[in-house]
Amino acid sequence: MMKLIFAALLLTSPFLFSQELEKSISKKDSIETLSEVIITTDAIIGSKFKAKNKAGSTYFISPKELKTFNYDDVSRILRTVPGINIQEEEGFGLRPNIGMRGTSPDRSSKITLMEDGVLIAPAPYSAPAAYYFPTVNRMQSFEILKGGSQIQYGPYTTGGAINMVSTQIPNGFKARVVASIGSFNTKKTYLNIGDEQKNFGYVLEYNNRNSDGFKKIDNSSKNTGFQGNDYVAKFRINTDADAKVFQSLTAKIQYSEDFANETYLGLTEADYSRSPYRRYVGSNEDYIDTEHKQIMLTHFIKPSQNFSITTKAYKNDFARNWYKLDALKLGTTKVGINAILTNPTTYNAEYLALTGAGNTIDNALLVKANNRIYEAKGIQSVANYNFQTANVKHDIDFGFRYHEDFEDRFQWVDGYAIQNGVMNRTSTGTPGTDENRITKAEALAAHVLYNITYEKFTFSPGIRYENINFRALNYGTSDISRSGTNLVKGNNHIDVWIPGMGILYKINEDYNLFTSVHKGFSPPGAKVGEDAENSINSELGFRFRKNAFYGELICYYNDFSNLQGADNMSGGGSGTGDLFNAGAAIVKGIEFLATYEILNDPMNGFKIPISLSYTLTDTKLKSDFNSPIWGNVTRGDEIPYIAKNQFSLSAALETAKFNIAISGKYQDAFRTLAGNGTIPSQNKVNNNFIVDVSAKYHLTKKVSLMSNIINLLDKKYLVSRVPAGLRPGMPFNVNVGIMAQF
C-alpha cells in the first residue's frame, strides 16, 4: 500500500529538470553543426555558462570537447577534471574505477552515477559497484557536480555525482557515421540517425567496439580483447510548441551486450618487470559476459512560463557472469590468487601451477562463475518553479524518487588442471553451490533546493531526505532450489536528512566567489552493524575570466565522522561485498583549472587554446583498525589508491581545415595499503606522465579524417596492484578513421 501511495504522489508531484543544453557551433567541423541551445529533460547543468554560475563546484564537458580526442574510455575523458581520482584496470576503460575528492575509486561505487538524470549503476543501493558502465562514445556531454551542488542527486553525496547526457533527438534531419581501426586490431563503428517534425522526433543509434587486446596469454592463441554492441532508440511526441500547456513524452530503449576475455589475475613483481603485457596460462578461461537493458519514459509538462514538471519512470536490467580464476588447491588448502601473486615464494607450488610450469592434479585450479543478475527500477518527478518579487529572483526545485533494486548472486566453481602447458576443465560445478543469495533495497528520496538571487548574491539552501530499507536473503549453498530450508535473513534500515547550503557572490561579469557546506552521506549495506558514511564537507572557490584567460580555484575540506570501505575482490579483498567502518578521517585538497587562448581569430578560423588542471588531495585516517583490503591501519595513515598530486596539460591548434590537439596527464605515486611516510615498494604504484595526441583533417564541411595516438611516448607504466597482482596501462596505440554527418 505504501508503494502505491508513494507512486501516486510521484506521478502527480512537481519535480525539476527542464534544463538548457548548450551545444557548440562549428562552421567547418564535419562532426556537428548545431544550434546553440536546445531544451532537454536529461541534463542537470546543461551548459558551461550554468556550470560557472553555480554556488558549488560543477564542471561541464561539452560535445565539442568530447570530439577533440574521440575517446571511448571515460577514464581519459575525465582526466582534465580536477578532483577526480582514476584507477585504471584493463586499459580500455570498460569498467572504470572513479573516485572524487578522496572517495575510493573501486568500481566507482562511492559516487552517484547517472545517465540522462537516472541512476545507472546495476543496483545503486544494494550493490553499487559499476560492473556496467554506459558506452561513452554515444554520450553528448558529461556533467560533474561536487560540493554543495550535488545534494539533489544522491544517494552518494560525499565525493560527487556524474551525469552522462546521451545523444539527444536533433532539431532536424541528421545522420552521423564514425568508423575507425587501430592497434591491436581495434575497430569501432558508430551510426546515428534522427529527425524532428512538428509533433514527433526520434534518434536511432548503433555502436560496435571490438579489439584483440594488448596482452598475450602464455601457450594460448586466445586474444585478450573484447567485443560489444550497443543499440539505442528514442521517440518523442509533443504538443505544438506554442500550445497553452506544452507537453512531451519521450520513450528511450537501450540494449547492449559485451564479451571480454578479461581476468582478475595480474602478475608478480618480477614477472611484471620482465614482461608487463604477459598473462599467465591460468587466466586462459577467464571472461566476462554481460547484457544490459533499459527502458525509460520521460514526461515533461510546462503549465506556465515559469513552472515545469519532469517525470521519469525507468527500469534497468543487467546480467553478468565473470568467469575467472579464483584460487588454487594443490592439497588440502585453498589459496586465493591475490595471496599467491603477493607472496610467490611462500606459495611457490601454486605460483608454478598457475604459470603452467608443470602439470597439476585435476581440479587444482578453481575457476569461479561470478554469475549475478541485477535490477533497478523507479519513478522520479522534479518540479521547477521560478518567479521574481521586486528585485529578488526565486528558483525552487522540488523532487521525489521511489526506487527499488536487487542483486542476485547464483554462483558456482569449476575445476581445471594444466597438462603440458594447456588448461583443461576437469569438473563442472553446480549453479548456486558457491554463493546463493539476494540483496534488495527500497528507497524513497526527496529534495528541495531554493536558489534566491538578490543583486550580486545567490543563496542556495537545500535539503535531501533518504529513507532506505535493505533486505538480505541467503539461501545457502546447499539449497540451490531456494526452498528456504536454511534461509538466513538480514535487514537494515536508515533514514537520513542531508542538508546543504551554497552562496555565490558575483563580483562582476568576469569574477565570482562561492562557498558551500553540506552533509556527505553513503548508505550502509544490508548487514546489521554496517554504518552509513557520514561527513561534513565544505568548499571555497573563485572563478575568473579576464579576456582570453579564465578558470577557477577551489579549496575543500571533508571531515568524516565515519569513513566507509568495502570488501570487494576488485579492490583486493575476499569479494563478500560487506562494508566496514573506517572511523574518523580528514580529506582536504585544492582544485585548479585554467585555460588561456593564445590566439583566437574567428575571422580567419584560427584558435590556439591551452589548459592546465591541478588536483591536490591530502588524506588522513584518524582511527586504528584492521581492514580486509587496506591492511592494519594506524591513526595518521593515508587512504590507499589516492594520488596526492595530479595535473594535466593540453594544447590545440584549431583551423578551418584541420585541428591538432595534445594532452598530457601526470599522476603521483600512490600507496595500495594504508600507511604514511615513504611508500614501501611492494605497496606502491609509481608516478606516470602519459601523453595523447589527436588530429582531424576536414575533407569537406561534412566529412573529416581523424586520428589519435594513445600513450605517444609508449611509456610502460603500472596502474594497479589489484584485484590480484600488477597490471599495466595501455601501451602505444594508434587509431585512424573517418567521420561524416549529413
Side-chain angles (χ1 to χ4, degrees):
M1 178 60 70
M2 289 296 289
K3 293 182 185 178
L4 292 173
I5 293 171
F6 285 136
L9 281 170
L10 294 170
L11 283 167
T12 57
S13 68
F15 193 85
L16 133 76
F17 284 158
S18 171
Q19 297 280 3
E20 292 180 347
L21 177 65
E22 180 185 87
K23 290 187 173 182
S24 9
I25 297 176
S26 176
K27 291 183 179 179
K28 301 295 183 181
D29 197 335
S30 68
I31 295 170
E32 230 165 38
T33 303
L34 301 167
S35 58
E36 186 175 3
V37 175
I38 64 168
I39 300 297
T40 176
T41 56
D42 296 333
I44 290 171
I45 305 169
S47 70
K48 285 189 176 296
F49 174 79
K50 288 193 173 184
K52 292 170 184 175
N53 287 276
K54 286 276 189 180
S57 176
T58 56
Y59 195 89
F60 181 82
I61 302 178
S62 69
K64 182 180 178 183
E65 290 173 300
L66 289 175
K67 294 176 180 69
T68 299
F69 284 89
N70 288 294
Y71 287 136
D72 59 358
D73 179 351
V74 71
S75 305
R76 298 190 114 80
I77 290 172
L78 298 176
R79 70 194 311 208
T80 61
V81 181
I84 290 186
N85 312 305
I86 302 289
Q87 177 193 316
E88 293 185 51
E89 188 171 328
E90 86 297 312
F92 290 96
L94 303 178
R95 284 159 295 280
N97 299 282
I98 306 168
M100 299 170 73
R101 289 191 171 176
T103 61
S104 171
D106 182 33
R107 288 286 177 262
S108 308
S109 59
K110 290 298 179 183
I111 61 176
T112 299
L113 287 174
M114 295 175 285
E115 180 181 335
D116 294 337
V118 165
L119 296 174
I120 199 62
Y125 284 85
S126 59
Y131 289 95
Y132 167 77
F133 201 88
T135 309
V136 297
N137 55 341
R138 65 175 176 81
M139 296 303 160
Q140 184 169 290
S141 61
F142 281 74
E143 305 176 316
I144 298 97
L145 299 96
K146 297 171 287 182
S149 64
Q150 64 170 304
I151 63 165
Q152 295 164 273
Y153 311 106
Y156 302 90
T157 66
T158 302
I162 297 176
N163 182 45
M164 294 162 275
V165 182
S166 66
T167 302
Q168 299 295 293
I169 295 171
N171 56 4
F173 178 79
K174 284 190 175 72
R176 185 166 173 243
V177 181
V178 183
S180 68
I181 186 168
S183 303
F184 323 121
N185 197 29
T186 302
K187 302 183 188 75
K188 305 167 193 173
T189 304
Y190 172 78
L191 307 171
N192 97 17
I193 185 170
D195 196 5
E196 181 184 63
Q197 302 299 324
K198 184 178 181 181
N199 302 112
F200 176 74
Y202 73 93
V203 64
L204 306 174
E205 292 182 283
Y206 169 66
N207 210 316
N208 173 267
R209 304 162 297 147
N210 59 83
S211 176
D212 288 347
F214 58 86
K215 299 175 186 175
K216 180 69 174 67
I217 303 174
D218 296 343
N219 304 324
S220 177
S221 59
K222 183 180 290 186
N223 70 49
T224 59
F226 62 91
Q227 53 186 320
N229 293 290
D230 195 337
Y231 310 84
V232 180
K234 293 183 184 178
F235 303 95
R236 186 189 67 229
I237 56 174
N238 55 268
T239 61
D240 292 348
D242 59 354
K244 185 176 181 180
V245 177
F246 178 81
Q247 296 188 68
S248 68
L249 180 65
T250 305
K252 175 187 174 186
I253 302 168
Q254 182 269 342
Y255 173 79
S256 62
E257 53 186 358
D258 291 274
F259 183 93
N261 290 319
E262 193 48 64
T263 182
Y264 267 29
L265 187 66
L267 298 169
T268 66
E269 191 99 39
D271 289 335
Y272 176 86
S273 298
R274 286 190 290 266
S275 181
Y277 307 124
R278 174 190 179 189
R279 265 180 53 177
Y280 302 131
V281 69
S283 70
N284 190 67
E285 302 302 312
D286 291 10
Y287 69 84
I288 180 170
D289 190 7
T290 71
E291 183 181 60
H292 185 268
K293 303 172 187 175
Q294 181 190 63
I295 183 166
M296 183 166 71
L297 294 174
T298 302
H299 178 254
F300 173 74
I301 183 170
K302 195 165 187 177
S304 65
Q305 189 63 32
N306 59 341
F307 181 48
S308 63
I309 306 170
T310 301
T311 302
K312 292 177 179 278
Y314 59 92
K315 185 173 184 287
N316 297 323
D317 294 290
F318 180 58
R320 62 95 157 179
N321 185 9
W322 201 329
Y323 189 72
K324 58 184 183 286
L325 183 67
D326 180 63
L328 274 78
K329 188 175 183 180
L330 302 183
T332 58
T333 304
K334 184 172 74 172
V335 184
I337 57 174
N338 190 41
I340 297 168
L341 296 189
T342 304
N343 304 287
T345 302
T346 303
Y347 300 108
N348 187 247
E350 286 82 1
Y351 166 73
L352 292 174
L354 68 83
T355 59
N359 295 335
T360 72
I361 61 173
D362 288 356
N363 304 326
L365 288 81
L366 304 177
V367 179
K368 181 183 290 190
N370 286 267
N371 183 58
R372 303 177 193 176
I373 295 173
Y374 304 81
E375 182 185 88
K377 60 185 178 182
I379 185 167
Q380 61 186 41
S381 188
V382 183
N384 175 256
Y385 180 57
N386 58 81
F387 60 97
Q388 186 166 341
T389 57
N391 57 349
V392 179
K393 296 178 180 178
H394 308 261
D395 191 295
I396 305 172
D397 289 337
F398 173 70
F400 286 100
R401 179 177 68 215
Y402 179 76
H403 175 95
E404 297 179 3
D405 64 47
F406 71 79
E407 178 199 47
D408 184 342
R409 298 191 180 199
F410 200 63
Q411 304 177 179
W412 67 93
V413 176
D414 293 341
Y416 283 79
I418 292 181
Q419 298 291 326
N420 301 318
V422 178
M423 191 173 174
N424 297 298
R425 184 155 52 188
T426 51
S427 69
T428 301
T430 302
T433 54
D434 178 72
E435 280 203 67
N436 184 15
R437 59 186 172 98
I438 299 173
T439 306
K440 299 181 177 181
E442 297 179 9
L444 174 69
H447 77 266
V448 178
L449 182 68
Y450 190 4
N451 292 297
I452 311 165
T453 302
Y454 174 71
E455 295 184 348
K456 294 184 176 183
F457 283 94
T458 298
F459 301 92
S460 300
I463 192 164
R464 180 176 189 82
Y465 173 71
E466 291 272 358
N467 183 299
I468 312 168
N469 288 293
F470 294 99
R471 192 156 69 108
L473 304 171
N474 193 335
Y475 292 91
T477 56
S478 60
D479 183 14
I480 60 173
S481 64
R482 293 185 168 174
S483 64
T485 306
N486 301 307
L487 181 63
V488 177
K489 297 181 180 180
N491 294 280
N492 206 356
H493 170 78
I494 187 170
D495 62 305
V496 59
W497 294 93
I498 305 168
M501 174 69 182
I503 303 174
L504 174 74
Y505 176 64
K506 195 171 184 178
I507 301 170
N508 54 42
E509 291 300 318
D510 296 325
Y511 304 100
N512 68 52
L513 286 166
F514 66 90
T515 186
S516 74
V517 59
H518 77 283
K519 177 182 175 68
F521 170 77
S522 181
K527 190 176 180 180
V528 176
E530 292 179 350
D531 294 334
E533 181 173 274
N534 290 290
S535 61
I536 301 298
N537 303 343
S538 56
E539 65 178 353
L540 176 65
F542 172 62
R543 298 188 183 106
F544 57 90
R545 184 181 189 103
K546 186 66 176 177
N547 299 323
F549 183 51
Y550 52 94
E552 63 183 26
L553 174 65
I554 301 170
C555 301
Y556 72 88
Y557 188 91
N558 295 350
D559 188 354
F560 290 85
S561 56
N562 181 51
L563 182 68
Q564 191 186 75
D567 181 18
N568 293 329
M569 191 177 292
S570 56
S574 64
T576 64
D578 291 343
L579 304 179
F580 61 86
N581 304 322
I586 297 293
V587 177
K588 56 187 177 181
I590 297 172
E591 299 166 358
F592 176 71
L593 176 68
T595 297
Y596 179 63
E597 294 178 350
I598 297 175
L599 176 66
N600 189 350
D601 183 0
M603 293 296 294
N604 295 306
F606 283 89
K607 191 175 182 180
I608 304 178
I610 60 172
S611 294
L612 166 69
S613 70
Y614 170 73
T615 301
L616 169 68
T617 310
D618 185 52
T619 68
K620 183 176 290 187
L621 295 162
K622 299 175 70 176
S623 302
D624 298 340
F625 64 96
N626 185 33
S627 157
I629 59 171
W630 295 352
N632 293 317
V633 178
T634 302
R635 181 184 175 91
D637 283 353
E638 296 175 333
I639 302 172
Y641 276 93
I642 297 173
K644 190 165 189 176
N645 294 282
Q646 300 180 77
F647 72 82
S648 71
L649 289 165
S650 64
L653 170 61
E654 302 175 12
T655 74
K657 199 65 179 174
F658 67 89
N659 299 341
I660 298 175
I662 184 167
S663 172
K665 173 68 181 288
Y666 171 83
Q667 183 170 269
D668 237 350
F670 57 83
R671 61 181 74 248
T672 59
L673 292 177
N676 60 74
T678 303
I679 306 175
S681 60
Q682 70 272 19
N683 300 330
K684 183 179 183 181
V685 173
N686 288 320
N687 60 36
N688 60 70
F689 182 69
I690 306 302
V691 178
D692 298 343
V693 177
S694 78
K696 291 193 192 76
Y697 181 77
H698 309 303
L699 295 173
T700 70
K701 290 183 178 181
K702 296 185 179 295
V703 180
S704 299
L705 300 178
M706 64 179 188
S707 176
N708 68 15
I709 300 175
I710 306 299
N711 193 357
L712 174 68
L713 305 178
D714 197 20
K715 293 283 188 181
K716 293 180 173 61
Y717 65 107
L718 178 66
V719 297
S720 178
R721 291 176 179 266
V722 294
L726 284 70
R727 312 176 79 85
M730 172 75 77
F732 179 86
N733 180 5
V734 181
N735 297 276
V736 295
I738 187 168
M739 59 178 69
Q741 177 174 294
F742 308 97

